[in-house]
Amino acid sequence: MIDSDVFEFVERCRTHTAPGPLLTDLLQTVRNLGFEHLILSGVPLGGQKLAPMVELNGWPKGWFERYVEAEYAAVDGVCIYSAKTLKPFLWADVPAKWSESTASRHVAGEATEFGISSGFAVPMLSVHHWQSVLSFASSAKVCSLSPREEVQLVTMAVYAGMTIQAISNVDEVDEGLLTEREKEVLLWAAAGKTSSETSQILGLAERTVKWHATRAREAFGVATTTQAIVEAVRRRMIHP
């Protein structure tokens, strides 16, 4: 791939107003580097489900359905490592403690049935999620990229991520997701207050405070109040 291909993709990102055309454009461009599939998604944490976090889905349909149904994100070494680093990496370079587990190797083996054998992942910060990753997949057994080609992929991934965030219109999507009381409860929790202390501050029963915290967790699809706080901050719904 030549650099002008990358710059032309970046220019086209300014014209994309929907995920579908952006996905098609990116897939066509990265085929020049040997990648046939890709997925851009938030990285699931603490029991979060993958499907609602997917923003660009260029995986084979059958594989995506199997991956989601079997909850492979919880054991897939590539997915796990994507939550632990912001450095782009080849799938083959995922540390053995995650990539060599029996479950992770099983996921990798099944993926080959759908033409996915190797890849390159670009983790990114996100206003929608704790962290996102754009993962490029290839049918080649070994993914071989020059340093320049890695930079090209990272550049396109970053611009694709920026574009999908702009398309998603965070403020409109999140409007009404939390009530004002739920935001207050998260704010005091972020300040280190217990449910008992928050109940005294807000003049509510402690069980009511806990109920609002539960509702906030459910709204974000997370398991803990700390994760709900992180999501609310990232979406600029609260400002601790």
Side-chain angles (χ1 to χ4, degrees):
M1 176 184 287
I2 58 177
D3 289 345
S4 62
D5 292 332
V6 178
F7 295 137
E8 289 172 5
F9 170 75
V10 169
E11 286 295 319
R12 291 194 299 272
C13 279
R14 300 179 181 180
T15 68
H16 290 309
T17 57
L22 174 62
L23 172 62
T24 299
D25 191 354
L26 184 55
L27 275 171
Q28 290 176 344
T29 305
V30 300
R31 282 198 179 98
N32 294 327
L33 291 173
F35 295 102
E36 301 101 337
H37 308 288
L38 65 86
I39 189 167
L40 170 61
S41 171
V43 181
L45 293 174
Q48 287 179 301
K49 302 296 184 182
L50 175 68
M53 305 177 78
V54 175
E55 296 174 306
L56 291 177
N57 187 0
W59 269 1
K61 183 179 179 182
W63 175 235
F64 178 75
E65 292 173 347
R66 182 181 299 185
Y67 193 97
V68 169
E69 183 179 355
E71 298 186 350
Y72 281 158
V75 298
D76 178 11
V78 174
C79 187
I80 294 171
Y81 192 51
S82 295
K84 300 179 181 297
T85 183
L86 278 174
K87 183 179 178 180
F89 61 90
L90 292 166
W91 293 1
D93 292 337
V94 173
K97 66 181 294 185
W98 296 299
S99 65
E100 294 300 317
S101 70
T102 300
S104 183
R105 293 178 68 178
H106 176 75
V107 173
E110 283 200 13
T112 62
E113 300 174 19
F114 296 87
I116 293 178
S117 298
S118 62
F120 182 73
V122 184
M124 297 177 284
L125 295 177
S126 169
V127 297
H128 296 167
H129 313 291
W130 171 261
Q131 188 155 301
S132 292
V133 62
L134 203 165
S135 202
F136 300 98
S138 172
S139 59
K141 290 185 178 181
V142 177
C143 182
S144 179
L145 296 169
S146 69
R148 190 178 195 86
E149 288 171 334
E150 289 190 4
V151 170
Q152 291 173 335
L153 283 171
V154 171
T155 300
M156 289 187 289
V158 169
Y159 272 89
M162 291 168 56
T163 302
I164 200 67
Q165 288 186 14
I167 291 172
S168 298
N169 194 334
V170 176
D171 291 339
E172 181 177 333
V173 171
D174 288 339
E175 186 177 356
L177 188 62
L178 295 182
T179 66
E180 290 304 312
R181 186 64 84 185
E182 287 161 3
K183 293 176 185 177
E184 284 183 316
V185 168
L186 290 184
L187 274 170
W188 286 114
K193 301 299 183 182
T194 65
S195 297
S196 177
E197 291 170 330
T198 299
S199 70
Q200 295 176 27
I201 293 169
L202 298 179
L204 302 171
E206 184 176 355
R207 66 175 179 275
T208 302
V209 170
K210 291 181 177 179
W211 182 81
H212 284 304
T214 298
R215 291 285 298 126
R217 293 195 297 271
E218 291 174 347
F220 291 128
V222 297
T224 69
T225 299
T226 298
Q227 290 172 335
I229 292 168
V230 170
E231 282 297 314
V233 171
R234 285 192 178 277
R235 300 183 192 210
R236 298 178 175 85
M237 299 171 71
I238 63 173
H239 304 277

